[in-house]
């Protein structure tokens, strides 16, 4: 067979099962776009900014669990992708970023729209490639998919100079479609040791992270909790792994976790950490996190073991595979004393959700949205107060129901990720909770949402401020409010309509619940606007750098 | 190479974390041989302000792979560092040797 590098890229993507690509064209990517014009199976979503394309690919990948592709040109196209790639790295999301590059002979000459994409993306990708010959694509493209989805998933960038895209390549046969590498083998003796520790523990807590979702192990984690009577906390990335209303669920831990959750962890004598990485926002001051607990740490990434906290038993393996070995070794137990103590802590220090009956308050609005939807809906969020309120209060009940930027904390994530989620799961309703600060950071993708007519509803909690910054300035910087209030209001309804999206305002509505339900149940993209009080704060809160037991509010 | 210092490195070189000790360790890395591989490895050390005292790199065999020798100071973070290096796609193996491994010793005369 003989074809250009660009045609080969598109063929290899098709063979790998890619059906949607989000991107923005430009000079150095034009051969790839020309090749895409000939594809009958790939739908290209034209984004309004490359960062939007990166987050749309992420949204698709977070829903499908498989690598999804975004595409950009050289120079500013590539630099605009960087935030979305870094975000995927920190949350272990498999995306493939394809970038055009200036021709090989011009690399290093400060050519027009030249930037060292390869060098720039080394620290924010799982792996990256600069393709110097079209025939290398036969190896590089399958390798990019294999790397993105094997072990701990992550983003892979493939930078392709324009002349390599145009270069003719002859080959005998297409490379095989790649599947993930086999997960690392692990020591069964360590699993047996872990089972013994669980049996011997009096006050064990199960601590689930995003790895449980990536591994598809949520059901097994719930079985483990039930079998051994383990109160179970989830990180921001793991919400939904165990239904929030499960009797053993003790909610999210950390900076904005409920008081009782952090108190239960404080008393634990054994912490079973599954697919989590002891992030600072989850554990607070390291030395004071679970001070009396032995630690079992299960993670596919060996470099996470003993990184922040030394584990007594550390198992490097796929959490699903490890749990399937652990389950038959763990004796069923009913820990009446411990569970009733957890229950009493929950009764004494519950998560306070003031205003939950009022749909014009943050918690009330979140509950009103949840009441209109079933578990099939996908919920995304941007970053800030609204994200924490949703994490605390939304009744998540399944894995991959909740998509948010956990590690990088990128404002502007939620809306394009919701578009990606809707593209990957067109039958589902996708709701993006956002704030007025975050939404503005990728607001141009309203045009993309309107063009694709995706079933995405934005719930805009508008407090005309950067709420979490405003909150921290109030609490920790002597109420000196600096650059966190927007002096001029923005008419988001007009903006949405200007982009061709429907817009609904809950503020003037005499019956906001009914207005909300109608908007959520009408197919197609819609902005649902609600003003909230800028002096509503997220509580409880662990001050940055403090121990989790030192919550305020 | 310079004689081993009696005090932690952090007292002599600004911006070196206090975790840095003064015993040397030699790391041997087998890596894929292509133009970006040094960049991947050096970035990892630089980001963590992990001082690399010496680097040697040459292709081996047919040239598909290279061997990198790194001379580093013992550091509380070294084990974590090695696990991070092992995670790199281009790194085939990492071996740890004593600081007096002869690979760097014979280079002294070029650094007088």
């Amino acid at each position: 067979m003989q074809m250009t590098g660009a045609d080969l890229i598109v063929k290899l993507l098709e063979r790998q099962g890619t059906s949607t690509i989000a991107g923005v064209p430009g000079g150095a990517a034009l051969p790839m776009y020309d090749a895409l014009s000939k594809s009958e199976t790939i739908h290209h979503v034209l984004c309004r900014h490359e960062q939007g394309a990166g987050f749309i690919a992420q949204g698709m990948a977070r829903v499908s669990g498989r690598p999804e592709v975004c595409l950009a040109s050289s120079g500013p196209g590539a630099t605009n992708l960087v935030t979305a790639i870094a975000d995927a790295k920190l949350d272990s999301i498999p995306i493939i970023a394809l970038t055009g590059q200036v021709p090989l002979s011009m690399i290093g000459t400060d050519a027009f729209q030249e930037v060292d994409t390869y060098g720039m993306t080394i620290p924010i990708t799982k792996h990256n490639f600069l393709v110097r010959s079209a025939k290398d694509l036969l190896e590089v493209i399958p390798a990019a998919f294999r790397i993105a989805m094997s072990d701990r998933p992550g983003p892979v960038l493939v930078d392709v100079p324009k002349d390599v895209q145009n270069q003719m390549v002859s080959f005998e046969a297409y490379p095989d479609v790649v599947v993930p590498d086999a997960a690392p083998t692990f020591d069964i003796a360590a699993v047996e040791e872990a089972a013994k520790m669980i049996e011997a523990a009096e006050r064990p807590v199960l601590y689930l992270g995003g790895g449980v979702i990536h591994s598809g192990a949520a059901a097994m984690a719930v079985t483990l909790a039930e079998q051994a009577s383990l109160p179970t906390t989830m990180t921001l990335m793991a919400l939904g792994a165990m239904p929030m209303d499960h009797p053993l669920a003790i909610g999210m831990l950390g900076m904005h976790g409920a008081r009782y959750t952090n108190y239960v962890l404080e008393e634990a004598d054994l912490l079973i950490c599954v697919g989590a990485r002891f992030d600072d926002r989850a554990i607070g001051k390291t030395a004071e996190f679970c001070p009396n607990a032995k630690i079992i740490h299960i993670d596919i990434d060996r470099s996470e073991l003993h990184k922040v906290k030394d584990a007594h038993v550390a198992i490097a393996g796929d959490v699903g595979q490890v749990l399937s070995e652990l389950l038959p070794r763990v004796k069923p137990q009913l820990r009446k004393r411990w569970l009733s103590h957890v229950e009493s802590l929950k009764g004494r220090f519950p998560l306070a959700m003031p205003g939950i009956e009022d749909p014009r308050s943050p918690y009330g609005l979140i509950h009103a949205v949840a009441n209109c939807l079933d578990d099939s809906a996908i919920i995304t969020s941007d970053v800030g107060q609204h994200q924490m309120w949703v994490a605390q209060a939304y009744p998540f009940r399944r894995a991959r129901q909740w998509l948010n930027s956990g590690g990088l904390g990128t404002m502007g994530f939620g809306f394009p990720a919701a578009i990606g989620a809707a593209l990957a799961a067109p039958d589902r309703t996708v709701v993006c909770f956002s704030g007025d600060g975050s939404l503005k950071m990728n607001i141009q993708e309203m045009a993309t949402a309107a063009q694709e007519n995706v079933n995405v509803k934005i719930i805009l909690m508008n407090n005309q401020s950067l709420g979490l910054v405003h909150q921290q300035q109030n609490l920790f910087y002597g109420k000196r409010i600096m650059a966190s209030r927007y002096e001029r209001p923005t008419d988001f309804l007009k903006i949405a309509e200007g982009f061709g999206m429907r817009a609904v305002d809950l503020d003037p509505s005499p019956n906001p619940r009914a207005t909300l339900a109608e908007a959520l149940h009408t197919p197609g993209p819609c902005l649902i606007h609600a003003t909230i009080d800028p002096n509503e704060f997220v509580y409880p809160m662990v001050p940055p750098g403090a121990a989790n037991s030192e919550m305020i509010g | 190479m310079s004689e081993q210092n009696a005090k932690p490195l952090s007292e002599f070189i600004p911006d070196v974390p206090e975790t840095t000790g003064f015993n040397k360790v030699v790391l041997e890395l087998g890596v894929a041989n292509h133009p970006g591989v040094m960049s991947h490895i050096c970035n990892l050390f630089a980001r963590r302000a992990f001082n690399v005292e010496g680097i040697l790199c040459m292709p081996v065999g047919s040239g598909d792979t290279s061997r990198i020798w790194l001379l580093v100071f013992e550091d509380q973070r070294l084990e974590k560092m090695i696990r991070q290096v092992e995670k790199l796609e281009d790194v085939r193996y990492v071996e740890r040797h004593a600081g007096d491994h002869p690979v760097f010793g014979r280079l002294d005369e070029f650094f007088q």
Side-chain angles (χ1 to χ4, degrees), chain A residues 55 58-64 91 93 213 236-237 239 378-382 387 396 398-406 413-414 417-422 430-433:
Chain A
F55 283 134
Q58 268 212 42
M60 295 192 291
R62 285 177 192 246
V63 167
S64 70
D91 285 351
I93 305 301
I213 312 276
L236 183 61
M237 292 302 294
L239 295 177
I378 295 168
I379 309 300
T380 81
S381 91
D382 261 306
Q387 175 191 28
F396 296 109
R398 64 174 180 87
R400 301 194 185 279
Q401 185 182 8
W402 161 240
L403 322 180
N404 87 129
S405 170
F413 167 92
I419 298 173
V430 183
V431 173
C432 165
F433 285 94

Side-chain angles (χ1 to χ4, degrees), chain A residues 126, chain B residues 40-41 44 84-92:
Chain A
K126 188 174 173 195
Chain B
H40 273 107
I41 288 159
L44 207 64
Q84 299 275 357
V85 173
E86 285 172 336
K87 226 169 88 172
L88 293 175
E89 191 64 26
D90 286 329
V91 173
R92 304 283 192 269

Side-chain angles (χ1 to χ4, degrees), chain A residues 127-397:
Chain A
H127 192 57
N128 61 358
F129 297 93
L130 171 55
V131 184
R132 292 175 191 275
S133 161
K135 72 169 175 13
D136 291 351
L137 290 164
L138 290 162
E139 279 182 30
V140 167
I141 301 291
F145 277 86
R146 181 182 53 76
I147 293 164
M149 63 185 163
S150 295
D151 296 329
R152 179 179 183 169
V156 177
L157 178 128
V158 184
D159 197 27
V160 193
K162 192 173 185 180
D163 51 345
V164 174
Q165 296 172 42
N166 284 325
Q167 191 183 14
M168 292 302 286
V169 53
S170 306
F171 56 98
E172 292 291 308
Y174 286 111
D176 289 339
V177 172
V178 289
V179 294
D181 290 337
T185 53
F186 51 91
D187 184 10
I188 294 294
V191 177
E192 278 164 358
E193 173 71 19
K196 276 187 207 140
M197 284 168 73
I198 293 171
E199 197 185 326
E202 288 181 8
R203 299 180 305 279
V205 175
L206 183 60
Y207 157 38
L208 304 179
V212 174
I213 312 276
H214 298 317
S215 170
M220 261 190 285
V222 173
T223 307
L224 174 66
E226 290 169 348
Q227 200 165 309
S229 294
L230 306 173
T232 301
T233 183
M234 285 163 276
T235 66
L236 183 61
M237 292 302 294
L239 295 177
M242 175 184 270
M244 296 289 240
D245 52 1
H246 190 288
L248 288 167
I250 58 169
M252 178 176 72
L253 77 163
M255 184 174 270
H256 294 294
R259 274 184 178 271
Y260 81 93
T261 313
N262 288 332
Y263 290 155
V264 169
L265 284 158
E266 181 96 353
E267 292 189 25
D269 68 348
L270 176 69
L271 184 69
I272 307 141
C273 171
V274 184
R277 59 181 176 85
F278 296 91
D279 176 76
D280 52 281
R281 293 293 151 123
I283 72 167
K285 197 190 272 180
T286 309
E288 290 172 44
F289 179 64
C290 295
N292 307 312
K294 289 188 170 170
I295 293 175
I296 298 170
H297 193 178
I298 304 169
D299 201 290
I300 198 162
D301 182 352
R302 222 167 64 86
S303 72
E304 288 298 345
L305 306 174
H306 313 295
K307 185 182 85 174
V308 176
K309 290 285 262 189
D310 279 324
H312 299 78
V313 172
I315 305 172
D318 171 71
V319 297
Q321 291 178 10
V322 176
L323 288 179
S324 69
E325 293 291 342
L326 183 60
L327 279 173
R329 292 174 169 82
V330 170
K331 280 200 191 131
Q333 265 197 64
L334 195 63
R335 299 176 205 272
K336 274 193 179 163
R337 258 181 70 187
W338 175 226
L339 292 184
S340 72
H341 182 61
V342 169
E343 205 50 42
S344 83
L345 283 174
K346 186 175 180 175
R348 278 154 62 205
F349 307 103
L351 182 72
M353 290 190 278
I356 194 152
E357 298 305 324
D358 175 11
R360 297 185 200 276
S361 81
Y363 289 120
L365 179 56
I366 291 162
H367 264 240
V369 171
N371 286 339
C372 293
L373 301 169
D374 59 28
D375 294 347
S376 72
I378 295 168
I379 309 300
T380 81
S381 91
D382 261 306
V383 168
Q385 288 181 312
H386 63 277
Q387 175 191 28
M388 291 299 117
W389 284 319
V390 174
Q392 290 174 331
Y394 198 91
F396 296 109
R397 288 196 191 88

Side-chain angles (χ1 to χ4, degrees), chain A residues 393-465:
Chain A
Y394 198 91
F396 296 109
R397 288 196 191 88
R398 64 174 180 87
R400 301 194 185 279
Q401 185 182 8
W402 161 240
L403 322 180
N404 87 129
S405 170
L408 195 66
T410 312
M411 294 171 67
F413 167 92
F415 179 44
I419 298 173
L423 290 165
D427 300 337
R428 297 181 190 267
T429 301
V430 183
V431 173
C432 165
F433 285 94
S434 192
D436 56 313
S438 285
L439 185 62
K440 280 182 209 144
M441 294 207 179
N442 269 317
I443 201 161
Q444 75 287 343
E445 300 308 325
M446 283 183 171
T448 312
Q451 171 66 45
E452 298 292 323
N453 195 32
V454 284
N455 195 21
V456 169
K457 320 296 180 199
I458 302 169
I459 307 288
L460 172 56
M461 296 188 179
N462 185 359
N463 56 9
Q464 219 178 307
S465 65

